[in-house]
């Protein structure tokens, strides 16, 4: 995509990664490449590389929108690559949910050349072949030190490491050992394959990093074929290069791994395994979201300790959770665009995510009425057993979407907070003697109320003005300040409504090693039975509404039954957290 201001003047790219890609496209750096079969390759290939060891969260969504978004905008493609090099932690369940989440977010790894869904384990044979070459070429050796010796000889930030006494063993000996490692001759930890770089490097990642380890474990895809597995730092660049990735985008903590990324690919290019130009790594700041945690380990703890009701609990920042909560894929994309990418870590406030949802749903969500904390309102001068239709727009800014109708009758439900026995200053809703408009209905005047023995108000009484109906001539002659919503008691739909809010009440629940369980918001899930506008019982799972004055709600995709939806509050209409 070329940036153009409309008057021909170029516009600065909106973030540094776009700047890099545009410069590379201009210089033709990745132009004219072909794959192993000779097919032309796009000049931008990115990838999203999750490890299938958990559910994706909102931080991953940022990375997905970034990688797939860049590929889309610059005529390239983005691969979905599972970094499945750690057999003991990975499962098919996670692969499936990751695929589902990326697709739900609206992205695809298919193009005219086919599917671009890969697994690092697809490349295990090639990776191993390259490892043998590295040994033969003197770039890697089998180290037989114990784990303790290896740790002691690694040095520290202030001290250089020491060469292993196995570092200079002949290449043939290393090769023989590597083959035996692969053949299953040794136990876990007896040997490792290490790159031969520099034990005195100020960058610890360059001090002869391990590239293969022995791990007698069943792999969810390769079964028992392998008992040695490549280390992430080796598998990652090699997978990128095998897949012809051009721009390998990762989070800042990998900055110190970049020298090894470049080193290993340069060696393998010398060995004729990869043509130039090689993929390059760029780092961006990970998403840190207030009032949320994005550590897979801590999210797992929430699930395992049953603090939440599973991975897709609508309070969870997982993609399955925010989806069930009612977030739209387009609101997540909008959020990702708004937060952009930066080179320094920072915090994004939860209100930015919530704001994106409001901005996405406001123009589209049909309006509806819900009474969440019901109080009976009796219109004493309205005939018993009678009702009449009232009409309201489906959407106030889209008259073409038509009107909805719902009946008014003698007994209604209104919100408890819309009546006060003794009004506070500035309160202009119902109180004895005051008039309000029943939204889309009549003006009523409060004539009294009933209380039970405990002093709780159980009903409010009023009279209506028959010539005040909204939309009729003369309705405007009644000037009232208050305008309250209601549903007819005889016609309302009773439904379970789950009022969700932020899972934590502390903006940084796990900062500085704090116990995030102390920061849980006990009001993050409040389940009520509410009275809804007739017709809402037909709501299909995943359909969203703005319940007027209350916020955005969705019919829960898991617990809704035909004719009996359960609603989740996605977000209130206004931010009440001061964000
Ligand atoms: P792990 O600790 O298990 O490695 P991870 O969150 O890094 O957890 P990965 O599956 O390795 O999980 O992540 C896949 C991709 O998502 C990586 O490229 C990673 O950089 C990116 N990613 C993960 N967390 C965030 C985040 N908070 N913000 C932006 N990108 C993220
Ligand atoms: Mg990771």
């Amino acid at each position: 995509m070329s940036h153009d201001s409309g008057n021909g003047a170029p516009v600065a790219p909106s973030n540094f990664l776009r700047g890099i890609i545009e410069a590379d496209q201009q210089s033709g750096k990745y132009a004219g490449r072909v794959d192993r079969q000779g097919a032309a390759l796009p000049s931008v290939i990115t990838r999203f590389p999750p490890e299938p060891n958990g559910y994706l969260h909102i931080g991953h969504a940022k990375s997905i929108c970034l990688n797939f978004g860049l590929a889309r905008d610059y005529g390239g493609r983005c691969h979905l690559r599972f970094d499945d090099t750690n057999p003991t932690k990975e499962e098919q369940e996670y692969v499936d949910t990751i695929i589902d989440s990326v697709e739900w977010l609206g992205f695809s790894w298919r193009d005219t050349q086919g599917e671009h869904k890969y697994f690092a384990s697809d490349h295990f044979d090639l990776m191993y072949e390259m490892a043998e070459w590295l040994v033969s070429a003197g770039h890697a050796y089998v180290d037989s030190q114990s784990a303790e010796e290896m740790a002691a000889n690694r040095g520290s930030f202030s001290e250089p490491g020491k060469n292993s006494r196995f570092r200079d063993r002949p290449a043939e000996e290393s090769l023989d050992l590597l083959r035996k490692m692969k053949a299953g001759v040794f136990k876990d930890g007896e040997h490792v394959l290490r790159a031969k770089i520099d034990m005195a490097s100020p960058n610890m990642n360059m001090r002869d990093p391990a590239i293969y380890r022995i791990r007698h474990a069943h792999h969810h895809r390769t079964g028992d074929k392998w008992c040695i597995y490549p280390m992430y730092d080796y598998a990652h660049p090699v997978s990128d290069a095998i897949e012809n990735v051009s721009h390998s985008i990762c989070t800042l903590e990998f900055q110190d791994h970049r020298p090894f990324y470049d080193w290993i690919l340069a060696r393998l290019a010398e060995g004729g395994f990869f043509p130039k130009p090689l993929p390059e790594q760029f780092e961006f700041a990970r998403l840190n979201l207030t009032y949320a945690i994005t550590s897979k380990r801590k999210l797992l703890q929430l699930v395992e300790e049953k603090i939440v009701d599973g991975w897709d609990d609508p309070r969870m920042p997982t993609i399955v959770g925010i989806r069930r909560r009612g977030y739209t894929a387009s609101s997540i994309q909008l959020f990702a665009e708004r937060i952009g990418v930066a080179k320094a870590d920072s915090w994004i406030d939860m209100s930015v995510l919530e704001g994106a949802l409001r901005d996405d749903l406001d123009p589209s969500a049909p309006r509806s009425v819900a009474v969440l904390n019901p109080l009976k309102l009796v219109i004493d001068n309205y005939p018993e057993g009678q009702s009449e239709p009232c009409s309201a727009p489906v959407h106030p800014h889209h008259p073409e979407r038509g009107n909805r109708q719902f009946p008014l009758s003698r007994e209604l439900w209104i919100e408890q907070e819309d009546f006060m026995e003794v009004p506070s200053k500035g309160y202009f809703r119902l109180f004895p003697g005051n008039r309000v408009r029943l939204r889309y209905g009549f003006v009523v005047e409060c004539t009294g109320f009933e209380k039970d023995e405990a002093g709780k108000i159980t009903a409010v009484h009023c009279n209506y003005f028959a010539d005040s109906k909204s939309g009729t001539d003369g309705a405007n002659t009644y000037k009232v300040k208050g305008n309250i919503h209601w549903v007819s008691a005889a016609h309302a739909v009773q439904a379970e409504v789950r009022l969700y809010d932020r899972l934590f009440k502390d903006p940084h629940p796990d900062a500085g090693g704090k116990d995030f369980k102390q920061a849980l918001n006990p009001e993050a899930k409040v389940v009520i039975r509410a009275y809804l506008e007739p017709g809402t019982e037909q709501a299909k799972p995943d359909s969203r509404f703005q319940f007027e004055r209350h916020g955005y709600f969705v019919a829960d995709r898991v617990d809704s039954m035909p004719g009996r939806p359960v609603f989740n509050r996605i977000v209130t209409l206004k931010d009440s957290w001061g964000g």
Side-chain angles (χ1 to χ4, degrees), residues 350-412:
M350 182 63 97
S351 61
V352 181
L353 178 62
E354 295 169 344
L357 191 267
R358 291 186 188 104
D359 291 347
D360 185 51
L361 285 189
D362 181 42
S364 62
R367 278 26 178 187
S368 189
V369 174
V371 173
L372 303 184
N373 295 302
L375 172 62
K376 189 63 78 65
L377 177 72
V378 185
I379 311 174
D380 291 307
N381 65 342
Y382 196 89
E384 222 159 315
Q386 193 174 308
S387 72
E388 64 187 278
C390 294
S391 167
V394 171
H395 193 289
H397 307 307
H398 294 286
E400 76 284 1
R401 291 174 65 178
N403 286 328
R404 43 193 236 266
Q405 296 211 324
F406 41 87
L408 177 133
S409 63
R410 190 169 192 267
E411 295 199 357
L412 312 176

Side-chain angles (χ1 to χ4, degrees), residues 47-53 56-57 59-60 62-63 232 249-251 253-254 284-288 294 296:
R47 84 288 167 270
F48 172 65
E51 190 182 344
N53 64 350
L56 298 181
H57 54 63
H60 296 111
K62 172 179 176 176
S63 178
Y232 175 87
I249 298 164
C250 59
T251 40
E253 65 270 25
F254 290 99
F284 71 101
R286 62 188 294 114
L287 169 67
N288 295 310
T294 49
K296 279 186 197 161

Side-chain angles (χ1 to χ4, degrees), residues 206-218:
M206 296 297 272
R207 293 184 188 172
D208 293 8
I211 56 181
Y212 263 95
R213 60 178 168 164
I214 304 172
R215 200 82 193 243
H216 291 272
H218 187 83

